[in-house]
Amino acid sequence: MDKQMMIYLVIGLVIGFVLGIILTNIFSSKGRKFAQVKRQLEETEEQLKVQKQTIVKYFSHSAEILDNMANDFRRLYQHMAENSGKFTSENDMPVMGLDANNDATLKKQFTIKKQPKDYSDDPSGLLKTDENKS
């Protein structure tokens, strides 16, 4: 055997080895299973990405609505504060008599003199046996 034939033989073996590995991965059940799992993973990742975008849109829209609502309440409060003096005056408003003495009187009125019992004075007889009942 000459040198050229040895070189062709080595190149042929390397090419055959590489082609064998490629064809084994393509036609083997493990290779098909791997490709199927990889495809499912990519689909799941895409669904997760879409779901995250949907959630982000939802919360940003909710935040925008809450912000608008807060602004509307602020405007309503300012409107009421600015215009409340136009319709009533201090003479029209009834004066509420809130004295410190009234509060003390009310507290005394509602104070319990004795601690209430959490049991009755008379036994009900539920826990007596037949021997003790007679």
Side-chain angles (χ1 to χ4, degrees):
M1 288 200 181
D2 62 349
K3 229 177 183 178
Q4 251 185 351
M5 189 172 235
M6 262 322 231
I7 293 174
Y8 289 136
L9 184 63
V10 170
I11 292 174
L13 283 174
V14 171
I15 291 174
F17 185 72
V18 170
L19 285 175
I21 290 176
I22 292 172
L23 291 176
T24 303
N25 284 337
I26 291 174
F27 293 116
S28 72
S29 63
K30 288 182 180 180
R32 280 182 268 152
K33 195 178 233 183
F34 176 75
Q36 180 184 10
V37 169
K38 187 176 179 181
R39 193 174 345 104
Q40 287 177 348
L41 175 65
E42 289 170 355
E43 289 173 2
T44 306
E45 286 176 345
E46 185 64 31
Q47 289 174 352
L48 181 65
K49 185 178 176 182
V50 168
Q51 188 177 20
K52 282 182 180 181
Q53 289 173 350
T54 304
I55 290 171
V56 167
K57 284 181 185 179
Y58 170 79
F59 281 116
S60 66
H61 185 68
S62 297
E64 183 180 330
I65 289 172
L66 286 173
D67 188 42
N68 291 341
M69 200 166 75
N71 289 335
D72 289 344
F73 279 125
R74 194 174 300 116
R75 283 186 18 231
L76 176 65
Y77 177 76
Q78 287 173 350
H79 170 74
M80 291 178 74
E82 289 171 359
N83 295 323
S84 64
K86 293 180 183 177
F87 301 114
T88 59
S89 65
E90 280 191 31
N91 297 336
D92 295 338
M93 298 288 286
V95 177
M96 300 179 121
L98 297 176
D99 295 335
N101 296 336
N102 284 346
D103 290 340
T105 307
L106 289 175
K107 281 183 183 178
K108 285 180 185 177
Q109 201 174 26
F110 290 113
T111 308
I112 298 174
K113 299 204 178 3
K114 275 177 91 179
Q115 178 82 15
K117 296 179 182 179
D118 58 349
Y119 60 90
S120 67
D121 289 333
D122 299 325
S124 65
L126 288 175
L127 299 177
K128 289 185 179 179
T129 60
D130 289 335
E131 297 171 359
N132 293 339
K133 285 185 181 179
S134 46

